[in-house]
Amino acid sequence: MDFSFTEEQKNKRQEFFKVCAELAKDRMRGFEGFESSYDTDEGWKYHLYCAKEFARRGWLSLAWPEEYGGSGNMMDRVLFAEARGYHGVPGVDVFGVQMLAPTILACGSEEIKREFLPKIATGEIQFCELWSEPNAGSDLASLTTTAIKQGNEYVINGQKIWTTGAHRAHWSFGVYKDDLGGKPHHNMVFLLFDMKTPGVTIRPIKYIHNMHIYNEVFLDNVRVPAKVVGQEHEGWAVVNTLAAFERSNIDDIMRMQRDIEHVVAYCNTTKQDGVPLARNPVIRNRLAKIAGEVEAARMLAYRVADLQNRGELTLMEAGAVKIFESELLERFASLMTDVLGPYGQVKMSRWSPMDGWWERIYQEHFVQSISMGTNEIQRNLIAWRGLELPRMK
Ligand SMILES: Cc1cc2nc3c(=O)[nH]c(=O)nc-3n(C[C@H](O)[C@H](O)[C@H](O)COP(=O)(O)OP(=O)(O)OC[C@H]3O[C@@H](n4cnc5c(N)ncnc54)[C@H](O)[C@@H]3O)c2cc1C
């Protein structure tokens, strides 16, 4: 496969990088990418500001059909994500722009498309994902939160958990049981609703480093209009469609690319026993290996984009890049605890090397192998659906 860029792609890539570099000048200390924006009011304002800047350039609707205001293709989206990842800027709602919009395009009614796509493209509404429940994560189909239809409305009761950004999002997409006596996988509805609806209670789950990103969401007699994506009772099919639109993880990969540049600069200028760390053969060797793996991850992500562009992406390819990228981040974070030594564990202070960045990454890195379907589940999918290996009885 030839991944060399056309002249047009090179120009677009340059434009994406230029705009993101400009926006990165307003980035607060310790702020990194999309998830940081949920923690503070200042971060959320910055995210919305970046979203508006991208929206006015038409970058939140890349790869959509022209009739819904779209332009460009999947490769443009990848190049744009590279720029955001490299410069650590937010502005793209992972849930609304990257997951829900393509799902609505694939299985939403015309009414749902006309109502929600323009608001996603302008950054006017931001979404969260109400899927996981205390007893339904990997086995999502065993969820118990109900949405019972009454006239033109649904009444929702139950609890969701680990909801990223629920405290900031304007709207949610979620999946609920809508037919209590129905056949498994044909008894769920995929619903959109306003998070300010009475009966929605949001409680924070503070993360290991005390940031407020995740939440529990309690739904008590929440009465919402029937904004259904797909068909009633057939929400599971929509869940599967959305799962195939998960991101290529290229932004995380580009963040690692940038981190390698920073680590190399650090090793060139930091001495141990009078010798720069960059002269240490063990460090050189381990860092070179990571750098090679980051490049391999980038190629895998390009491949995912190319397959998605051609409508040939399967859960196997998407799962492979997710596993590789998340486990690479773990290896990189482990390497950096060795390189930085005990000072590397000092939280942001003047004594913490590299601005305390690796102390935070080491604490955060493992979430990647859990969120968006654990790596074990991804491996199962690759084995069963991709390689057609038999299931254990
Ligand atoms: C950072 C982060 C953000 C998240 N954001 C959201 C969000 O915004 N919205 C949302 O709805 N959810 C979100 N989640 C939830 C996430 O989707 C679930 O945590 C994930 O699906 C795993 O479910 P669980 O936590 O219930 O673990 P479990 O399903 O209980 O799994 C526990 C362990 O058992 C393993 N396991 C389970 N079943 C099998 C099997 N059949 N074969 C092999 N191993 C198995 C798993 O791999 C895991 O290691 C988020 C999670 C994290 C960590």
Side-chain angles (χ1 to χ4, degrees):
M1 203 171 292
D2 179 11
F3 287 127
S4 49
F5 298 134
T6 61
E7 275 313 304
E8 195 191 345
Q9 284 171 333
K10 279 185 203 159
N11 292 338
K12 279 188 184 170
R13 191 170 190 269
Q14 216 172 15
E15 176 70 7
F16 293 141
F17 271 78
K18 197 174 112 207
V19 171
C20 289
E22 201 52 42
L23 289 171
K25 288 181 186 159
D26 295 330
R27 217 158 54 114
M28 291 76 74
R29 184 169 186 247
F31 189 98
E32 181 64 42
F34 176 62
E35 294 213 322
S36 288
S37 38
Y38 294 124
D39 187 40
T40 61
D41 291 346
E42 198 187 2
W44 187 242
K45 239 168 85 183
Y46 176 51
H47 163 67
L48 295 179
Y49 167 71
C50 293
K52 291 282 172 216
E53 285 299 307
F54 295 147
R56 74 184 176 83
R57 293 172 170 85
W59 294 353
L60 298 185
S61 47
L62 289 171
W64 295 9
E66 276 175 33
E67 58 178 310
Y68 297 108
S71 63
N73 56 31
M74 276 310 297
M75 204 58 207
D76 295 328
R77 259 167 72 168
V78 166
L79 300 178
F80 176 39
E82 278 196 336
R84 291 197 317 277
Y86 187 85
H87 287 292
V89 292
V92 170
D93 170 16
V94 167
F95 301 105
V97 174
Q98 292 185 203
M99 299 184 188
L100 182 63
T103 306
I104 288 180
L105 283 164
C107 36
S109 65
E110 200 51 35
E111 200 184 332
I112 290 280
K113 284 179 189 164
R114 297 282 167 204
E115 179 172 355
F116 289 97
L117 291 176
K119 291 178 185 162
I120 295 173
T122 54
E124 187 184 329
I125 53 173
Q126 308 285 314
F127 278 85
C128 63
E129 179 188 59
L130 293 178
W131 283 19
S132 307
E133 298 183 3
N135 291 312
S138 301
D139 183 14
L140 186 61
S142 65
L143 61 87
T144 55
T145 300
T146 55
I148 304 302
K149 200 163 183 200
Q150 291 184 2
N152 287 332
E153 292 182 327
Y154 281 88
V155 181
I156 309 177
N157 279 290
Q159 188 202 335
K160 299 287 179 177
I161 196 165
W162 305 122
T163 319
T164 307
H167 58 304
R168 300 281 179 194
H170 308 112
W171 277 68
S172 62
F173 62 81
V175 62
Y176 313 91
K177 284 258 154 77
D178 69 336
D179 182 1
L180 301 186
K183 278 198 286 183
H185 300 111
H186 298 279
N187 54 358
M188 286 174 248
V189 64
F190 192 102
L191 271 179
L192 313 179
F193 69 80
D194 187 331
M195 288 296 283
K196 291 279 178 292
T197 311
V200 178
T201 307
I202 300 167
R203 288 201 200 136
I205 304 176
K206 287 287 185 84
Y207 195 50
I208 193 169
H209 49 35
N210 213 32
M211 282 170 95
H212 180 190
I213 300 173
Y214 313 109
N215 301 276
E216 292 179 289
V217 178
F218 298 87
L219 305 160
D220 297 307
N221 287 319
V222 179
R223 191 171 278 277
V224 297
K227 309 274 181 202
V228 175
V229 181
Q231 308 296 320
E232 47 184 290
H233 311 323
E234 299 299 338
W236 189 247
V238 185
V239 166
N240 279 318
T241 305
L242 190 141
F245 289 124
E246 302 242 308
R247 41 200 195 132
S248 65
N249 287 62
I250 190 76
D251 38 352
D252 294 327
I253 294 164
M254 283 308 285
R255 196 179 75 188
M256 284 194 265
Q257 180 98 39
R258 179 204 61 196
D259 287 345
I260 284 175
E261 291 168 20
H262 289 177
V263 170
V264 168
Y266 176 82
C267 290
N268 277 330
T269 50
T270 308
K271 291 185 177 167
Q272 194 181 38
D273 300 329
V275 182
L277 287 174
R279 293 274 133 237
N280 180 322
V282 176
I283 290 177
R284 285 174 81 87
N285 188 293
R286 288 182 66 190
L287 198 54
K289 190 163 181 290
I290 293 284
E293 289 180 344
V294 169
E295 196 53 25
R298 197 147 75 99
M299 292 303 122
L300 273 177
Y302 284 173
R303 181 157 183 271
V304 163
D306 184 57
L307 290 170
Q308 202 159 339
N309 221 8
R310 291 191 268 134
E312 292 171 14
L313 182 65
T314 66
L315 283 175
M316 183 163 87
E317 280 89 9
V321 69
K322 195 256 179 193
I323 293 170
F324 190 71
E325 183 267 330
S326 55
E327 293 178 1
L328 172 57
L329 183 62
E330 290 179 15
R331 290 194 290 279
F332 198 176
S334 282
L335 165 65
M336 289 314 295
T337 56
D338 292 347
V339 170
L340 300 178
Y343 279 98
Q345 295 166 33
V346 179
K347 262 196 199 311
M348 281 189 198
S349 90
R350 68 195 177 94
W351 301 109
S352 42
M354 300 193 73
D355 226 10
W357 174 241
W358 288 100
E359 184 270 346
R360 173 172 153 190
I361 289 297
Y362 191 77
Q363 290 195 41
E364 273 181 7
H365 68 269
F366 57 86
V367 302
Q368 302 268 20
S369 61
I370 302 170
S371 61
M372 294 192 296
T374 68
N375 285 9
E376 289 80 15
I377 297 299
Q378 301 293 333
R379 285 191 160 93
N380 281 350
L381 291 174
I382 291 172
W384 297 331
R385 297 207 201 156
L387 305 174
E388 296 181 6
L389 295 177
R391 290 183 186 227
M392 298 259 286
K393 290 268 188 283

